[in-house]
Amino acid sequence: MLEADSIVNAQRGFLGASTPTMEEEEEDEPLIDVSQEEDEELQGSAGCCYPTGTGYRFAVLVLICLTSLGSYFCYDNPAALQKEIKNDMGVDTTTFMLLYSLYSWPNVVVCFFGGFFIDRFIGVRWGAILFGALLLIGHYIFAVGAFVNEFWVMEAGRFIFGLGGENLQVAVNAYAVNWFKGSQLNLVMGLGLSVSRAGSVFNMNIMEPIYKQLREHYSGHVCLGLTLFIGGITLIFSQYCTFQLAWLDKRAKRILKPKTDLATGEKISFKDIKDFPISLYLLCLICVGFYTAIFPFISLGLVFFESKYELGSGQAQILNSLIYTISAVASPIFGFLIDRTGRNLIWTNAAILLTILGHALTAFTFVNPYVPVCIMGGAYSMLASSMWPMVAMVVKEHQIGTAYGIMQAVQNLGLAVFSIIVGVIVDSDGYLILEVFFLGCLCVALISGILLYIFDAKVDGMLNLSVAQQKLRFDRDKTVEDTKEKEIMT
Amino acid sequence: MDSSSRLLVVVLGILAAGLADATDRTLDAYLNPGCPTTSCTTFGVNPPYANNLVYIRSEVVNVTDAKQYRIFWSTIGAPTFIITEVSPTDPKDIQLAWNDFLEDHTPEGTYFTLYGGRYAGIEFAKLIEYDDVNNTGQITDANDTRLYYLDRNTVHWLNVTLIQEDDGNLLANLTALITQENVQFNLTIQVRAHPGDGRAAQNPRMLFTPSSVNAVHSEDISISDEYSPGIFTVERVGGTDTYVQWRPIVYTKVNPGVSDSTRSHTGPLLPINNTMDWTNHTGWGLPYSLLGGLNGILDNGTTLMRFNVSFGITDDDYYNSTGFQEWSCELGVGQPPIDVVSKNVKLIIAIGFGIPAVLIVIAATYVGYLRYKKRRENRLTLLTETTTTNYQTLTD
């Protein structure tokens, strides 16, 4: 349950989406003033300080990744300090798990509205800053709760943390789509997953040593509170990144304003949601089906590996974390490959098929468990890098935040419900039936992927185009837009 | 350490079916058949403590050559459970010298005769309790253990409760109070005889069918834990056609889930001789029990082995935190039943893989058709444009 929840949100970074509401009225107010002289000086140049330059885009990429780092780090603080929290706060496992439930369940709804809120009202820059601030405040309330030995305060803190967590990822993904759509979006998504995994692993390895170090001077809940205060430093850093990102984005908008001023004039409304293409909902089904077979599997994997393969707890732990470890390395690689080949839908369906193979090997054979786990780790990276960018291909630009929000909401709902169901299945029917259940979920994902393949072919969509074909399509669309723009100007 | 609230439950299945349809086999139970002495119904200083010997005839009616079985559940001395196959044409009943067995008992005496063929038996001779201070699941200090001999001085059995269950199983609840050095705890052995093929209703839901020799301890690993969640292994001690088998799991709660369990560990098989000191409980002979009084038990044709099964593993906190543990095993003659993947699972897998496979074929065909159609349309458009151009050229 714990692990599953952590994964639910581990995905946040990628799933979230964002919307290119750079033209929002509020965002026209300068966040940080950039002098007109500087603008003029930069215009026409193509150096590293010019927004379309490699250096500038690289800086944005780094900031996008770092913005989510703190969120992932602090999200799993309770898991890293599970024993300490239970001992120092005197709570049992069920009460402890509330710290995750209070994050997850509200997000079934909240991230949908968060995406819409960003699309419709505040835009991506203020969205990132606002939701980042909620994370920061929520985490420090959580830490204060521990410090003063009040568990309900900790719970309140986690709830506020959850209000920001998912939505920050929506904003971060909005930045990613705004800056990298049509070029290296798959790679950026892959890198985001990689950094988030690194944040989780970093947290798991560092928080307990910090606690132990502090315990030499402090004890009990005070020590716990101070440890959480220190963990919150990553969020302060991430919040700084949201300001930096906003500044770079604002500056880019100013410099590039003449070229983009008329590009987006539409705003999303609730009516638009009913007109979302069926492709989006098929993507939601893929998302739920696939992640149900990954995250709950990891959360229950430790005992499974110990039972079926008779591994020691240390080795089972290594095996169980291997999917994440592989994803931290493989996601950018797959992102890069998908950027070179296109055909995201084929990659996604291949990832589902590979995961089916991995689970089938785990369920019906005694093949060395490292084989199926490595297959699943690779497939997980492949899917994360290929599926999330497809959302940006099936909805209009001003709907991207809401679309990602819907997808995340459905994913959160699916994982929250299925995490409970898989626990019941294991207790009553064992791991073989659980594996069969996972295979069933993957079959649903595969069926959705195949239907999406048919649908995309029928409507002449972009999901399965090669890079060259995508470029032709972008150029064609741009020509149409330019023509419209000229007509309006005339 | 006050152990009064602790409870150990051993669930034992006695298997005696399989060659006949379940509905054809009957289980007729008798309590202390032919016992002429009042010692059978009252034993010890506080009635209703009693000696219990449940005798069951497992027979197939209307089939002349079907196998017949005799089953014995005894709490006279160490609790003992025996199943034997008898000739279908000359099925004989129990012969037990009750008076000698109960009152004039000597270690070397034989009081009980089994007729017929092969038999399998299991006896629980002692319980060892240790304080697992380091939570390692292992005895770290041999001096810090309590040894409970399941003999007539330590264990006081209540009157057995026999229940005929709806599915035809015969259930006996054998409950005892164990008292030694001011420590008391409860021991319950639930034992079932099954009239046919099937599966136990409680976890681990072991498969049963009916049923010498160099006994061996073996482990079978299966891909299925469908009927014993979290446990893929079956441990077995047996010869060519008798066996005792169990899943290496110990439940720490009534109606348990996977998390309410810990593992059992089986020690090596060791020989038994008849050098036991009955007064001081030294040596590794057969204690006072139905098995110990069995005629021919120490003959060369019989294989006797002893082994320890320990409950708990490192860091499981299992005993002190729950005060309850339940371990199950089954005993039978014939080939042990082996779990396989159920038909339902196979059906689900076939459907689960079948639908996407069919869809993949349909999708590939459909998309191929769309591409062909599009290419054809493009070609026609090109042809039309060319023709028009040529026509125009001609008219110009």
Side-chain angles (χ1 to χ4, degrees):
Chain A
M1 186 67 183
L2 169 62
E3 224 14 76
D5 283 339
S6 87
I7 303 170
V8 172
N9 299 294
Q11 273 317 298
R12 298 165 296 162
F14 301 73
L15 335 186
S18 56
T19 162
T21 45
M22 285 199 278
E23 314 313 316
E24 295 290 348
E25 210 172 300
E26 295 85 337
E27 300 228 324
D28 284 338
E29 297 302 318
L31 282 165
I32 297 163
D33 195 28
V34 180
S35 70
Q36 191 65 30
E37 291 78 8
E38 187 185 0
D39 284 354
E40 285 165 1
E41 187 186 331
L42 289 172
Q43 279 195 29
S45 76
C48 68
C49 296
Y50 193 70
T52 55
T54 306
Y56 202 100
R57 285 161 65 83
F58 181 74
V60 170
L61 171 61
V62 170
L63 287 169
I64 283 174
C65 292
L66 293 179
T67 298
S68 11
L69 181 70
S71 146
Y72 284 100
F73 183 93
C74 289
Y75 171 76
D76 267 333
N77 274 182
L81 296 169
Q82 179 173 356
K83 201 167 55 183
E84 289 78 7
I85 290 175
K86 282 159 77 175
N87 288 341
D88 294 343
M89 303 306 293
V91 294
D92 59 16
T93 306
T94 309
T95 313
F96 169 82
M97 287 308 293
L98 272 175
L99 296 175
Y100 282 94
S101 314
L102 280 168
Y103 181 100
S104 297
W105 280 101
N107 271 303
V108 171
V109 177
V110 167
C111 58
F112 163 71
F113 287 104
F116 185 82
F117 191 61
I118 291 173
D119 273 350
R120 174 82 190 178
F121 300 109
I122 58 174
V124 62
R125 285 179 229 140
W126 280 112
I129 291 168
L130 173 69
F131 294 127
L134 278 175
L135 276 171
L136 189 59
I137 293 164
H139 180 79
Y140 274 97
I141 290 174
F142 176 62
V144 167
F147 194 77
V148 299
N149 198 19
E150 291 288 352
F151 194 74
W152 71 268
V153 179
M154 293 179 80
E155 290 173 329
R158 284 295 283 185
F159 179 76
I160 296 169
F161 184 85
L163 294 180
E166 295 286 314
N167 290 320
L168 177 67
Q169 302 315 316
V170 171
V172 165
N173 285 330
Y175 272 127
V177 173
N178 284 347
W179 277 89
F180 299 100
K181 188 183 174 188
S183 53
Q184 298 97 8
L185 186 57
N186 300 295
L187 174 63
V188 172
M189 293 283 185
L191 274 172
L193 179 60
S194 182
V195 172
S196 69
R197 286 284 142 253
S200 297
V201 172
F202 187 45
N203 156 69
M204 288 294 182
N205 288 294
I206 202 172
M207 288 305 282
E208 200 173 11
I210 291 175
Y211 178 90
K212 283 179 178 167
Q213 197 68 37
L214 288 172
R215 201 172 50 188
E216 293 178 8
H217 307 285
Y218 305 93
S219 63
H221 59 89
V222 175
C223 180
L224 180 65
L226 290 173
T227 308
L228 293 172
F229 275 122
I230 292 172
I233 292 171
T234 54
L235 279 173
I236 296 173
F237 175 69
S238 287
Q239 187 66 5
Y240 168 76
C241 291
T242 63
F243 281 108
Q244 278 295 321
L245 202 49
W247 180 77
L248 288 178
D249 193 60
K250 179 82 181 170
R251 181 172 178 274
K253 183 201 158 191
R254 249 183 211 200
I255 295 169
L256 301 175
K257 190 172 183 178
K259 296 177 187 172
T260 60
D261 215 12
L262 295 169
T264 57
E266 296 173 278
K267 275 188 180 179
I268 191 164
S269 71
F270 272 113
K271 285 180 190 171
D272 291 349
I273 294 169
K274 70 176 172 43
D275 297 326
F276 277 156
I278 195 167
S279 314
L280 179 69
Y281 298 106
L282 288 171
L283 282 171
C284 287
L285 272 179
I286 294 173
C287 177
V288 172
F290 185 87
Y291 286 123
T292 298
I294 293 287
F295 300 142
F297 173 73
I298 293 171
S299 71
L300 297 169
L302 200 60
V303 179
F304 172 69
F305 292 129
E306 288 176 357
S307 302
K308 179 162 182 178
Y309 300 99
E310 299 187 339
L311 300 177
S313 61
Q315 212 177 353
Q317 183 83 52
I318 292 170
L319 193 59
N320 201 38
S321 59
L322 198 57
I323 291 179
Y324 289 159
T325 311
I326 289 173
S327 74
V329 179
S331 299
I333 297 170
F334 278 116
F336 177 81
L337 286 175
I338 297 164
D339 276 333
R340 290 288 169 279
T341 60
R343 303 196 186 280
N344 290 49
L345 195 46
I346 292 289
W347 283 96
T348 297
N349 281 331
I352 299 169
L353 280 170
L354 280 173
T355 311
I356 287 176
L357 174 67
H359 273 294
L361 287 174
T362 312
F364 305 122
T365 73
F366 281 97
V367 167
N368 187 321
Y370 281 91
V371 175
V373 167
C374 287
I375 289 174
M376 284 190 256
Y380 169 56
S381 312
M382 196 189 287
L383 182 121
S385 301
S386 60
M387 185 188 70
W388 294 104
M390 282 198 282
V391 176
M393 297 180 191
V394 299
V395 296
K396 294 174 185 170
E397 283 195 3
H398 68 283
Q399 299 169 335
I400 285 175
T402 310
Y404 272 116
I406 287 174
M407 202 151 155
Q408 269 182 266
V410 172
Q411 186 204 15
N412 277 322
L413 177 65
L415 286 175
V417 171
F418 284 125
S419 293
I420 296 168
I421 290 174
V422 296
V424 174
I425 290 175
V426 167
D427 273 350
S428 60
D429 297 306
Y431 288 99
L432 177 69
I433 301 296
L434 179 70
E435 281 292 352
V436 171
F437 174 76
F438 287 150
L439 286 168
C441 292
L442 286 166
C443 286
V444 170
L446 185 59
I447 290 169
S448 306
I450 295 166
L451 291 176
L452 187 57
Y453 181 66
I454 295 172
F455 181 79
D456 187 66
K458 193 178 177 188
V459 300
D460 201 18
M462 288 184 65
L463 303 183
N464 209 30
L465 298 182
S466 67
V467 170
Q469 290 167 326
Q470 281 180 15
K471 193 168 184 319
L472 278 175
R473 188 70 66 88
F474 275 128
D475 290 345
R476 192 187 73 188
D477 292 349
K478 190 153 189 347
T479 310
V480 173
E481 272 178 23
D482 288 347
T483 311
K484 275 185 190 171
E485 210 172 296
K486 278 177 192 166
E487 282 172 4
I488 293 168
M489 294 285 277
T490 308
Chain B
M1 182 168 52
D2 179 13
S3 306
S4 60
S5 64
R6 293 178 181 178
L7 178 63
L8 171 66
V9 177
V10 177
V11 181
L12 185 67
I14 302 288
L15 312 175
L19 296 179
D21 187 78
T23 52
D24 289 335
R25 187 167 285 277
T26 59
L27 295 174
D28 295 320
Y30 308 88
L31 181 62
N32 300 327
C35 182
T37 165
T38 52
S39 300
C40 287
T41 49
T42 57
F43 172 68
V45 290
N46 292 315
Y49 296 142
N51 289 306
N52 299 303
L53 173 60
V54 178
Y55 170 60
I56 300 167
R57 294 159 58 135
S58 171
E59 297 181 342
V60 180
V61 290
N62 302 329
V63 181
T64 52
D65 58 347
K67 298 215 165 154
Q68 316 286 2
Y69 298 94
R70 298 291 182 263
I71 298 166
F72 305 88
W73 301 338
S74 164
T75 63
I76 305 169
T80 300
F81 306 88
I82 299 170
I83 178 170
T84 184
E85 196 178 79
V86 295
S87 165
T89 53
D90 185 23
K92 289 185 179 174
D93 282 320
I94 180 174
Q95 186 186 31
L96 175 60
W98 278 103
N99 276 326
D100 294 343
F101 182 50
L102 290 175
E103 288 156 19
D104 302 325
H105 203 105
T106 58
E108 294 79 17
T110 56
Y111 310 97
F112 173 52
T113 303
L114 286 177
Y115 295 100
R118 54 195 178 171
Y119 68 92
I122 187 170
E123 178 181 290
F124 297 94
K126 63 189 78 169
L127 295 173
I128 303 170
E129 188 182 50
Y130 60 95
D131 194 359
D132 190 11
V133 284
N134 298 323
N135 202 13
T136 58
Q138 293 180 339
I139 297 174
T140 46
D141 182 2
N143 295 322
D144 192 19
T145 59
R146 283 203 183 90
L147 203 53
Y148 303 96
Y149 295 94
L150 301 182
D151 60 15
R152 302 184 91 191
N153 298 323
T154 311
V155 188
H156 298 284
W157 295 93
L158 303 178
N159 277 321
V160 63
T161 310
L162 282 171
I163 300 166
Q164 184 83 44
E165 296 182 320
D166 291 342
D167 50 8
N169 295 333
L170 190 64
L171 165 71
N173 282 314
L174 300 164
T175 306
L177 183 66
I178 297 180
T179 310
Q180 186 172 292
E181 295 170 4
N182 300 323
V183 175
Q184 284 191 333
F185 67 93
N186 295 315
L187 168 69
T188 296
I189 297 180
Q190 276 192 340
V191 55
R192 274 187 180 79
H194 304 288
D197 291 354
R199 189 175 290 283
Q202 295 79 25
N203 282 339
R205 290 175 289 161
M206 297 184 77
L207 190 64
F208 48 75
T209 63
S211 346
S212 94
V213 233
N214 293 315
V216 290
H217 174 225
S218 59
E219 283 188 16
D220 276 358
I221 297 183
S222 155
I223 60 166
S224 174
D225 67 336
E226 189 177 349
Y227 301 104
S228 54
I231 298 295
F232 296 85
T233 311
V234 173
E235 290 194 51
R236 188 174 299 124
V237 170
T240 51
D241 57 359
T242 57
Y243 63 89
V244 180
Q245 68 176 12
W246 61 93
R247 300 266 186 184
I249 188 167
V250 181
Y251 293 109
T252 54
K253 202 175 153 187
V254 182
N255 301 321
V258 170
S259 54
D260 310 312
S261 65
T262 184
R263 294 304 189 97
S264 70
H265 173 74
T266 305
L269 294 189
L270 299 165
I272 292 178
N273 54 43
N274 203 24
T275 59
M276 185 170 218
D277 181 332
W278 288 71
T279 310
N280 301 311
H281 291 288
T282 56
W284 292 104
L286 280 168
Y288 177 11
S289 65
L290 192 66
L291 202 63
L294 181 61
N295 188 12
I297 188 72
L298 294 171
D299 291 351
N300 289 335
T302 306
T303 300
L304 284 170
M305 305 299 287
R306 62 188 164 89
F307 57 93
N308 291 330
V309 180
S310 61
F311 303 156
I313 52 174
T314 305
D315 290 336
D316 62 2
D317 292 325
Y318 82 103
Y319 193 61
N320 278 333
S321 60
T322 62
F324 176 90
Q325 50 192 326
E326 182 179 299
W327 179 76
S328 304
C329 68
E330 62 184 19
L331 165 74
V333 292
Q335 291 303 308
I338 293 171
D339 263 322
V340 291
V341 176
S342 70
K343 283 180 186 168
N344 284 345
V345 173
K346 287 177 185 167
L347 186 69
I348 292 167
I349 292 165
I351 294 169
F353 285 160
I355 293 174
V358 170
L359 266 177
I360 285 174
V361 174
I362 292 172
T365 310
Y366 180 70
V367 172
Y369 166 73
L370 282 180
R371 284 187 183 163
Y372 166 76
K373 195 176 156 192
K374 196 176 173 188
R375 216 172 286 156
R376 195 157 171 268
E377 278 171 2
N378 288 343
R379 209 177 296 147
L380 281 174
T381 310
L382 190 66
L383 192 65
T384 310
E385 281 172 1
T386 311
T387 310
T388 310
T389 310
N390 289 342
Y391 176 75
Q392 282 173 346
T393 311
L394 281 173
T395 52
D396 289 344

